[in-house]
Amino acid sequence: SQMQQLAESNERLQQFAYIASHDLQEPLRMVSSYMSLLESEYRDELDEEAKEYIDFAADGASRMQSMIDELLEYSRVRTEGKEFTDTDATDVLEDTLQDLELRIDESGATVSYDELPTVEADRNQLGQLFQNLIENAIDHADGPAIEVSSERRDDAVVFTVRDDGPGIPESQQESIFELFKRGDRDGDGTGMGLAICDRIVSRHGGDIWVESSDGGGTTFHFSVPH
């Protein structure tokens, strides 16, 4: 059956992510530790260009580490999710903003929000949704104004995270929720944040979608059945 196929493909994804991340960690650690040895032991003998090469390699290794971490996170959405409980979304958002305080201050972003309802959800994963969507806005805009709101629609609560950044060209709007897709927009992300959001929302039985025009800001909506 289709459900069985889905379960099997989820199972394979788990195994792949686990093996990939564990098997990749070791060589990556070697690259990182030999780079720092090179730097600490031979720094004074190296010219500027060689130091720059070391920095590039170290930067590549740390990007790779971020991707591995996020791949693991993606695969754990279902296996390590917590029970759904009555979750006050305003509380969750306020906790998330506290965690992101430094990042928000440094970027010059502002975040305003309405009173949000209580929904049946995995509290940590709801926080992760807010965090990834807010970080996504910060990554792709210069000091954006971000607004978080919600509305009840039929039998769901739809949460909205809106920013006044550069917007996403229509040609990319379909693919931004796929693994490792960053689109052509500048930013530091690994391109996994939105794929993780998509997986969390689907675990909750909801949908996530984007409305944006190139240059006209970006609005993400996600629904949680109610």
Side-chain angles (χ1 to χ4, degrees):
S1 73
Q2 207 171 359
M3 282 307 286
Q4 198 177 348
Q5 280 177 329
L6 186 65
E8 281 169 9
S9 95
N10 266 325
E11 183 65 29
R12 279 198 298 276
L13 172 75
Q14 293 316 132
Q15 289 170 341
F16 162 72
Y18 186 81
I19 291 167
S21 58
H22 284 258
D23 292 353
L24 291 173
Q25 299 276 19
E26 208 33 61
L28 191 58
R29 267 198 292 271
M30 272 182 69
V31 172
S32 300
S33 58
Y34 280 110
M35 278 300 149
S36 40
L37 270 175
L38 253 181
E39 187 170 31
S40 56
E41 310 235 334
Y42 296 98
R43 187 99 202 166
D44 302 338
E45 300 167 37
L46 298 171
D47 61 14
E48 281 314 303
E49 203 168 4
K51 288 176 188 169
E52 198 177 60
Y53 292 164
I54 287 178
D55 290 342
F56 284 150
D59 183 51
S62 93
R63 274 217 311 279
M64 179 82 171
Q65 186 64 58
S66 302
M67 285 182 167
I68 290 173
D69 292 342
E70 294 204 345
L71 185 61
L72 264 179
E73 205 173 294
Y74 181 84
S75 76
R76 286 175 179 152
V77 166
R78 288 181 184 278
T79 52
E80 299 193 5
K82 303 277 185 293
E83 296 283 302
F84 293 178
T85 54
D86 282 346
T87 303
D88 181 334
T90 310
D91 274 359
V92 173
L93 178 62
E94 286 173 351
D95 288 349
T96 304
L97 293 177
Q98 217 167 346
D99 292 342
L100 289 174
E101 195 170 3
L102 197 67
R103 185 86 210 275
I104 291 169
D105 288 350
E106 281 174 354
S107 68
T110 55
V111 183
S112 57
Y113 56 93
D114 299 342
E115 192 69 34
L116 304 173
T118 293
V119 288
E120 274 280 299
D122 174 329
R123 187 189 167 91
N124 291 348
Q125 291 187 345
L126 183 61
Q128 216 177 341
L129 284 169
F130 286 137
Q131 178 171 336
N132 289 2
L133 292 173
I134 290 166
E135 284 190 318
N136 186 66
I138 291 171
D139 274 347
H140 294 111
D142 204 12
I146 301 165
E147 294 166 25
V148 185
S149 58
S150 68
E151 63 167 322
R152 289 181 187 281
R153 287 192 201 167
D154 305 331
D155 45 4
V157 172
V158 176
F159 292 98
T160 296
V161 178
R162 176 181 287 113
D163 70 60
D164 60 356
I168 304 171
E170 203 162 321
S171 60
Q172 291 172 23
Q173 290 177 19
E174 279 301 297
S175 65
I176 54 171
F177 296 108
E178 292 169 21
L179 278 171
F180 297 118
K181 277 285 166 64
R182 293 180 42 186
D184 299 333
R185 304 188 296 159
D186 299 331
D188 326 325
T190 55
M192 296 227 16
L194 293 174
I196 290 170
C197 287
D198 187 42
R199 198 160 165 83
I200 290 173
V201 171
S202 94
R203 179 183 174 230
H204 284 72
D207 288 307
I208 186 167
W209 66 100
V210 66
E211 288 168 8
S212 178
S213 56
D214 207 353
T218 303
T219 303
F220 281 97
H221 301 284
F222 67 89
S223 62
V224 176
H226 194 65

